[in-house]
Amino acid sequence: MTNSIMIAIILALIAGGVGYVVGSMLRKKSSEALVTNAEELAAKMIEDAKRQTEVMAMEAAIQAKDAVYQAKEELEKQFEQETRDKKRDLQALEKRLQQKEENLDKKTNLFDQRDTEFLKREQSLASREQVLSTKEQAQVQKEEQIDQLVTEQRARLEQISGMTSAEAKKVLMDAMEDEAKLDAAKIIKAMEEEARETADKKSKEILALAIQRYAGEYVAERSVSVVTLPSDEMKGRIIGREGRNIRALEAATGIDLIIDDTPEAVILSGFNPVRREVAKLSLQKLIADGRIHPGRIEEVVAKSQEEIDQAMKEAGDQAAFDLGVHGIHPEILKLIGRLKYRTSYSQNVYQHSLEVAFLCGIMAAELGINVKQAKRAGLLHDLGKAVDHEIEGSHAVIGADIAKKYGESPKIVHAIMAHHEDEKPASVLAVLVQAADALSGARPGARREMMETYVKRLDDLERIATSFDGVVNSFAIQAGREIRVMVSSDLVSDDRALLLAKDIAKKIENEMTYPGQIKVNVIRETRATEYAR
């Protein structure tokens, strides 16, 4: 409506402006008649404009009323819709509240029922408790009566037998233990006889075949510690002016040189076999060359060290090639070559490792297991001896750690660890390595022991055997590889003799360290004597 009024005012102003312009033009032409006509025309135009303005104002008012009416209708519809929605929500809420109220009523009724049941159970339990209490009292009285009767009966039995209950119990337990041991001995004896019938022949065949097929030569070797000189004059040149040459040689090699009254010989002393070999080779080169001074010594020692390193690498590669074992880490091959300068009881460990590997392969082929894996385990079983003078611990544990570090399989690592019982053998491969190691080291002449160690081992064997009850005497024979135990026939039965042999063997295993195996023979002799008169 406001827009229509404004339009009308604008038209009126336009008409007034037009009239003013026209009037001015007519006046300029100096014609009053024209002015009059123009004024009439302007008045007419103003009147027409007013009428149009009124019409437009009326139309605008009508449109405004229509818009207000439509807006009112829309608001009423919207209000009605919102009212219906709220009413529906309220009805749903009311329904939910009603359901909750019903559920609460049900739960309340259920709780009431449970309370009633609990009260009934409580009353029942109280009555039962009272009954049980009465029964317990009666039971306690009965137990007291029984204990009293048992005590009286025990006292009567002790009086009749002349022994206390503890003594009688001990006698009974000892009798049962002896009976159980005898039964066990009989079962063990029967089982061993049955097992021997089938296993003894086969095992002998396999071992004999392995020894026959591996005909490796063996020469007992020991660490070389003496270097022969062409003459005693060379000792002075080795010592040098004020001992500078011998000091330089000892510093470069880490080995002590002992130059004494031994004619035409120099003794090399050191715990590291590789360094001792480097010192030996260097000294031989210096003696052959004749030029002996500190500068030349350092040069020759460095060259000898390179030659020994190359020789160790070649020895490791050759061992792997001879056995047909591939994929071994280069550092492990170098350690295997280092075993060439290591001895155990005068047996060269490098040759021993090759021998064990071949024996493992032969026995594995007979048993139908992986031959190459068996050879690999046999070759690496004494790997730890290459560095056991540098690292503390058992050579089996050291070797297993090295093999594990350089990616060997868990089976190989376990076989290395278990070949001296540092870990219980848990596979056929580990047992094979054990057997081949014992077979290689136990051959007559394969190893050499010091006299003191040998005598001490014999004494220990006889001491362990005689520490058991019923043993009359014991004799260690065959260089300590067998012990014969004489027992009293009155104190030891045939069945108990079997258990005694096992007990002695077990104690020897736990208390002694020895190469190969020791046979325990228990001898029980009975004699019947009668005189003819």
Side-chain angles (χ1 to χ4, degrees), residues 106-255:
K106 290 179 181 179
K107 288 182 179 180
T108 303
N109 293 332
L110 183 61
F111 287 147
D112 292 339
Q113 292 176 1
R114 288 183 178 179
D115 288 339
T116 304
E117 291 178 359
F118 286 149
L119 287 173
K120 290 179 179 178
R121 289 182 182 180
E122 188 175 358
Q123 292 174 357
S124 176
L125 289 173
S127 60
R128 287 184 182 180
E129 186 177 359
Q130 186 175 2
V131 173
L132 288 174
S133 177
T134 305
K135 289 183 178 180
E136 285 178 359
Q137 291 176 359
Q139 184 69 24
V140 169
Q141 292 176 357
K142 287 182 180 180
E143 288 178 357
E144 290 176 353
Q145 293 174 359
I146 291 171
D147 291 340
Q148 186 176 0
L149 291 173
V150 169
T151 304
E152 292 175 357
Q153 188 69 22
R154 187 177 297 169
R156 290 179 184 176
L157 288 173
E158 291 177 358
Q159 185 178 3
I160 294 170
S161 63
M163 291 189 298
T164 64
S165 60
E167 292 173 348
K169 186 184 294 183
K170 186 176 184 302
V171 170
L172 181 61
M173 290 179 65
D174 291 341
M176 292 178 66
E177 184 178 356
D178 290 341
E179 186 178 354
K181 283 185 176 179
L182 289 174
D183 291 341
K186 291 177 181 178
I187 295 172
I188 290 171
K189 188 175 181 180
M191 292 177 66
E192 286 187 348
E193 289 176 355
E194 184 180 355
R196 283 196 188 97
E197 291 177 359
T198 56
D200 190 53
K201 184 178 179 181
K202 186 63 178 177
S203 62
K204 286 180 180 179
E205 288 178 358
I206 292 174
L207 290 176
L209 181 62
I211 295 171
Q212 180 184 7
R213 289 178 60 184
Y214 181 73
E217 296 181 357
Y218 179 79
V219 179
E221 299 180 3
R222 64 182 68 186
S223 301
V224 176
S225 58
V226 178
V227 177
T228 304
L229 303 179
S231 65
D232 285 338
E233 295 177 358
M234 186 60 68
K235 292 183 179 180
R237 299 180 63 184
I238 293 172
I239 295 172
R241 183 179 299 175
E242 299 178 355
R244 63 177 185 174
N245 289 347
I246 192 171
R247 285 198 300 271
L249 191 57
E250 288 178 344
T253 60
I255 298 297

Side-chain angles (χ1 to χ4, degrees), residues 59-91:
E59 290 178 353
I62 292 169
Q63 291 177 356
K65 288 181 179 179
D66 290 339
V68 170
Y69 181 75
Q70 290 177 358
K72 185 177 179 181
E73 285 185 348
E74 289 179 358
L75 286 173
E76 288 178 353
K77 289 180 180 179
Q78 186 177 359
F79 179 74
E80 289 178 358
Q81 184 66 32
E82 290 178 354
T83 302
R84 283 195 298 271
D85 293 341
K86 288 181 178 180
K87 186 176 181 181
R88 187 169 55 253
D89 294 340
L90 288 173
Q91 289 176 350

Side-chain angles (χ1 to χ4, degrees), residues 1 17 36 48 55 64 85 87 110 284 311 321 327 333 337 349 379 404 412 425 442 453 466 493 500 514:
M1 184 175 180
T36 303
D48 292 337
V55 171
D85 293 341
K87 186 176 181 181
L110 183 61
Q284 288 175 343
F321 177 77
L333 290 176
V349 180
L379 178 64
K404 185 177 181 181
I412 301 294
T453 306
T466 54
S493 64
L500 181 61
Y514 50 89

Side-chain angles (χ1 to χ4, degrees), residues 413-460:
V413 174
H414 171 69
I416 296 172
M417 177 79 78
H419 85 276
H420 277 319
E421 295 288 343
D422 291 274
E423 188 175 87
K424 275 292 180 185
S427 64
V428 177
L429 181 63
V431 176
L432 271 186
V433 173
Q434 261 191 344
D437 181 51
L439 196 61
S440 174
R443 291 188 295 105
R447 294 188 174 183
R448 177 185 61 83
E449 291 183 286
M450 294 177 62
M451 179 61 69
E452 294 82 358
T453 306
Y454 171 74
V455 173
K456 185 177 184 303
R457 188 173 72 189
L458 298 183
D459 291 340
D460 289 341

